Amino acid sequence: MEDEAFTDINGKAISLDCQSHSSFCREFTVSSSKVSIGKVMVYTCSVWLLSYAVFFFTENTAVLSSAIVITLVGMMLHIHFVKVDHESLLVIGSLGIQVSSNYASGRETTTFIEMSKIKDIVINEAIYMHQIIYYLCVLLKDPSEPNAVSSVVPLFQSSKPRLNCLVKVYKSCQEILSKC
Amino acid sequence: MVLKIFFPQCCNRADSGLLVGRWIAGHDSAVVLAVIHYPFIPGQVKQYVQQMQAQSGVELSVLGSWSLPKDGQEGMESFLRDLSTIFPQKCWLQISRQMGKTGFTCNILNRAQNGGAAQQEVTKKKDEEDVKSDGEAGGEEEDKEEEEEKVIFVHYEQRKVMLSQLHPIENGVPDPKTDPPSELRQMFQTVAHSQPLFFLDKYDDGPLKSTHWQSEGREASIIVELLKQASVPLCLLLSCLLSLWTWICNIRIFSLHPLRFLSSKLSTCVQLSYRTQHMRTLSSPKPAAGHTQFMRKANILVSFLVDVALGMLLISWLYRDNHITMLANTLVPAADHVAKELEELLQWLMGAPAGLKMNRALDQVLGRFFLYHIHLWISYIHLMSPFIEGILWYGGLSACLGLTFALSLLSDMVALLTFHIYCFYVYGARLYCMKIYGLSSLWRLFRGKKWNVLRQRVDSCSYDLDKLFIGTLLFTILLFLLPTTALYYLVFTLLRLVVVLFQGVLHLSVDFINSFPLFAVGLRICRSYRLAEGVKFRVLCDEPGTALHLLMELNPLKCSTVVQTYRTPTYSCYPKDSWAALVKKLFVGELIYPWRHKTTKAD
């Protein structure tokens, strides 16, 4: 239930919400920053200015109406498919791990990984653009070879919190995993 | 260890009684399927459970007791404890719920430990008091007391879980080599297989009363039953017709060389054989075994019905207001118009097209040749023109077999009507191809090399002077004549590609109607729980002191996955060549295969 100031890899403020439902069931929610009105204004204005410029030369009003449609549809698509409002990780001891991300429009995508498939949760390093970032990931077991890792499921993919936040989540996850 | 109890939502308010369900071996979890109410005779319960086990093939057992005390039913604790001796089990669950409280409490009586019924209080009222009074310290004490025994209640909706199919599908018997199916899969299977348990109606006047999901009677169930009855003779009739049809198809006259070749090229024939195969699948008298088979059948049936309905729409449009005559009357002038345009194109090519200076003699020869061909074609079309309306009239009837047939027939007709374009293309391509091959071999001669056929490589070779002279001369002539041929080849290839593209679009739409899994998509939209990708959990109540309650919901399959999984496999009409291979073929002048479209790509 405690809130501490965390930042993501770009330095934007994010908040981590740890909720302990019982001793073996915890939920971590990372909420990323909201859509800033300035950004929306900049994009909308740039599209409209461009369309006005085109309209100035072509004198075709279809350009203007298409600009309005483009901005509206673009905004809708952005909040429905791109902008992730918060991501949560529900760890239930001996049952599994549930990863879900809620989009700004309310759409929710959830995947549940059963405990029998999970090998471990680790913090990993990755090269991202021109920097090296840390991320939390779930290692999945290979059904044929018990010791091998078949695939990796990265967590908090869109909010990308920094290491101090990840360590906190990691520690309490390991606490639960080691118990069960 | 944590004990997981899958509890059906419909039993939340059931009267006190016995819990019937299954222990999932190796996972420490129990699936509760039904509650049998008081009063009962234990012998009858045992008999009933055994009978159900035989019917469903699920290892059913009495898991424990359920108590929801109402007014005047106090002091049942000792009675519940005694029940565990009547139904010997490794573990005895004692789940109870107080009226007006959301959480359940669960006691586990473990027979294995301490010989008798050693009791472990898992979640007690005392815990709450502990937490209140001692705070953290009390919590720790309680942990030790519990001996790591905890309970999770997972509430599930019995009906949805029973009807849903977990993806990816695992059909048939799992391999003994690989691991047993995962816990959730086992749970889904248990609920799905224990359908006989759910037939006991709560209004039945039997010795046992139970609470579980029960169907409230299907809508229009009489019609469904009648349809089921009617489908059997229908299938028989269909299979009779099909066997007659296959007998006709197998007559020897059809397997003669030209007919067989022709039928493999005509898309109507291909569609006919494809539809026959579908009908054979549908008319098989055996009921579908397994989910995949069932979905396949349903998809085929629905797409067939939609196809026929679309075909009927087309027919109703065609045969109203004499649309057919109109079509026939526009077709001949259209063909004339195309021929006239082609003639103009050839005239243009015979002059100086786009300012290019061609070899005049060769240009004239090629142009005249093609002009004569067009002339032949036009006279053929005019000869045909009185019959075109009849052909269209009877061809339009094929739409009652489905829109796909009408489309395939249209594709075939386009292929036949543009036969001259195909011929031009073939002539152009052959000429161009020969020139390219001649040039490449003469180029080798020019460099003093030759192609060694035996070793499949280029060897050096010393030519005589006269051979070299003649070869170089021929090379020069071919090189200077190449642009003229290449121009004709280019123009006719473009024309051919336009026709092929049109046919490709037709074939793609036919393929789409044939293979699109309409039934599965409809299920996904209307009954999204039927096709589940997995599950998702929600924490229901987390009052301290009671066990953790989770709500299990079904995660519907993504639409793209639905289409991918349930797409009916069709005859592959997709080209085998990649784009690069196609361009190379076009450049070298190899034929892109005649009537099968190989240039259009869907992916």
Side-chain angles (χ1 to χ4, degrees), chain B residues 548-584:
Chain B
L548 181 69
H549 287 260
L550 298 173
L551 177 69
M552 188 170 85
E553 287 167 340
L554 294 173
N555 216 358
L557 206 60
K558 277 186 219 116
C559 282
S560 56
T561 327
V562 170
V563 173
Q564 233 170 38
T565 320
Y566 292 108
R567 204 171 160 277
T568 326
T570 51
Y571 56 92
S572 132
C573 77
Y574 297 116
K576 286 165 195 101
D577 311 343
S578 65
W579 283 101
L582 187 78
V583 169
K584 189 178 165 248

Side-chain angles (χ1 to χ4, degrees), chain A residues 154-167:
Chain A
L155 304 175
F156 305 124
Q157 269 192 82
S158 57
S159 44
K160 297 193 194 74
R162 283 196 186 214
L163 186 61
N164 54 356
C165 176
L166 292 181
V167 165

